[in-house]
Amino acid sequence: MDKGFWRQIQDALFPRTCLLCRGRLDGDEMVSRLLCNDCLGDFECNPKACHRCAEPMTQTEPVSGTLLCGRCQKKPPAFHQILAPYLYCYPVSELIQRFKSQDHMLLNRLLSDLLSDYLMGQLDAEMIKRPDILLPVPTHWRTRLQRGFNPAACLADAVGRQLAIPVNMSVLRKPVMTHSQHDLNRAQRLKNLDQSFALRDGTEVQGREIAVVDDVVTTGSTADVIASLLRDNGAASVQVWAIARTPNQRR
Ligand SMILES: [Zn+2]
Ligand SMILES: [Zn+2]
């Protein structure tokens, strides 16, 4: 077999250049083998966020003792908590978009490692309850056919393996395709989403501590609708785990 072939395989499995800036990786950067330290340093974390919906908070927000945004104080959502370590902006947004458009194996590994590391810290510090089961946010079969995979399912699978939590890929279903949510206000979004998710078997979630896994939480409306469905079917609690939270989507 010629050397070039093996070199191509090696480069695909262990890239020596940063996925974002194409700079050469060396030293400790080779540990992650995917991003250089400069690009990793550009990741924007989401430290000052609402404890419930993870919406980034500003100084002018009404702040209670537990750092809840005004909306969660007025009308608490059905989920117990959203955990999203990063803000959905460059370079995290770029990595997530590439992962979703290409089913990029290395990006799945990188993003699920980042999410797992963060969650492991939260679990070790007893900041969150360890769920019994992970459920990926489902996609409609037509979307899955177009894209070829469900990014949330890939993430849930990887995170479940790293945290040793079972994943159920089939209990949550999305039998109805939803139209773009972009131009809708919150009430319209919830109406648009209502009835679009279903459970294959309600007994699977009864009495269980659940974490729903998604790649990005945009407005929290999908998380709210899914959490309502799970809690209506007897789930003990519902957390939502995602890599990133989109700021300033409040309407
Ligand atoms: Zn870089
Ligand atoms: Zn909130």
Side-chain angles (χ1 to χ4, degrees):
M1 196 92 44
D2 79 277
K3 268 187 177 169
F5 175 74
W6 286 114
R7 192 58 171 267
Q8 277 178 27
I9 290 188
Q10 262 186 352
D11 283 355
L13 291 174
F14 309 110
R16 286 164 300 170
T17 53
C18 171
L19 277 177
L20 284 168
C21 71
R22 298 276 159 212
R24 195 170 170 79
L25 298 175
D26 49 35
D28 61 323
E29 293 171 342
M30 288 300 283
V31 175
S32 79
R33 293 177 187 274
L34 296 173
L35 296 178
C36 71
N37 289 337
D38 284 349
C39 286
L40 270 175
D42 286 343
F43 279 38
E44 269 201 65
C45 295
N46 188 16
K48 193 171 179 285
C50 169
H51 279 185
R52 189 105 189 211
C53 72
E55 167 110 12
M57 306 272 276
T58 62
Q59 296 300 328
T60 53
E61 295 278 355
V63 175
S64 75
T66 51
L67 204 68
L68 287 179
C69 71
R71 196 170 70 200
C72 288
Q73 288 186 48
K74 253 185 260 155
K75 189 177 182 304
F79 50 80
H80 181 252
Q81 195 177 13
I82 292 179
L83 288 127
Y86 298 105
L87 292 180
Y88 189 67
C89 50
Y90 186 89
V92 172
S93 54
E94 165 75 20
L95 293 170
I96 291 175
Q97 278 165 25
R98 274 204 230 170
F99 163 54
K100 289 173 80 161
S101 63
Q102 301 165 7
D103 188 11
H104 200 306
M105 193 179 72
L106 292 172
L107 282 176
N108 185 24
R109 198 186 81 196
L110 172 72
L111 295 170
S112 57
D113 279 357
L114 290 169
L115 182 56
S116 299
D117 286 353
Y118 170 76
L119 293 166
M120 224 174 297
Q122 296 284 311
L123 287 165
D124 288 348
E126 297 182 356
M127 302 293 284
I128 56 171
K129 241 190 226 174
R130 187 177 182 81
D132 303 318
I133 193 160
L134 305 185
L135 307 180
V137 170
T139 47
H140 187 263
W141 64 266
R142 209 172 292 157
T143 313
R144 225 163 32 247
L145 198 69
Q146 279 163 0
R147 187 177 273 152
F149 75 115
N150 175 7
C154 293
L155 281 174
D157 182 53
V159 169
R161 270 186 281 117
Q162 291 182 61
L163 301 182
I165 300 172
V167 184
N168 187 320
M169 293 287 182
S170 60
V171 69
L172 261 179
R173 294 170 54 238
K174 191 173 190 200
V176 179
M177 203 142 164
T178 32
H179 301 292
S180 168
Q181 305 258 86
H182 201 69
D183 296 323
L184 306 181
N185 66 27
R186 182 169 168 78
Q188 289 168 327
R189 274 196 303 271
L190 289 171
K191 189 161 181 264
N192 191 31
L193 286 166
D194 198 29
Q195 312 292 326
S196 65
F197 293 98
L199 285 183
R200 199 174 297 275
D201 179 2
T203 59
E204 290 277 333
V205 302
Q206 239 165 43
R208 312 198 79 175
E209 313 277 355
I210 293 172
V212 173
V213 180
D214 208 352
D215 49 339
V216 181
V217 171
T218 306
T219 62
S221 301
T222 298
D224 202 6
V225 167
I226 290 178
S228 289
L229 176 68
L230 293 169
R231 290 185 60 184
D232 288 349
N233 281 273
S237 74
V238 181
Q239 301 175 49
V240 179
W241 290 355
I243 301 159
R245 177 70 155 94
T246 308
N248 306 322
Q249 291 289 320
R250 190 166 297 197
R251 269 195 288 170

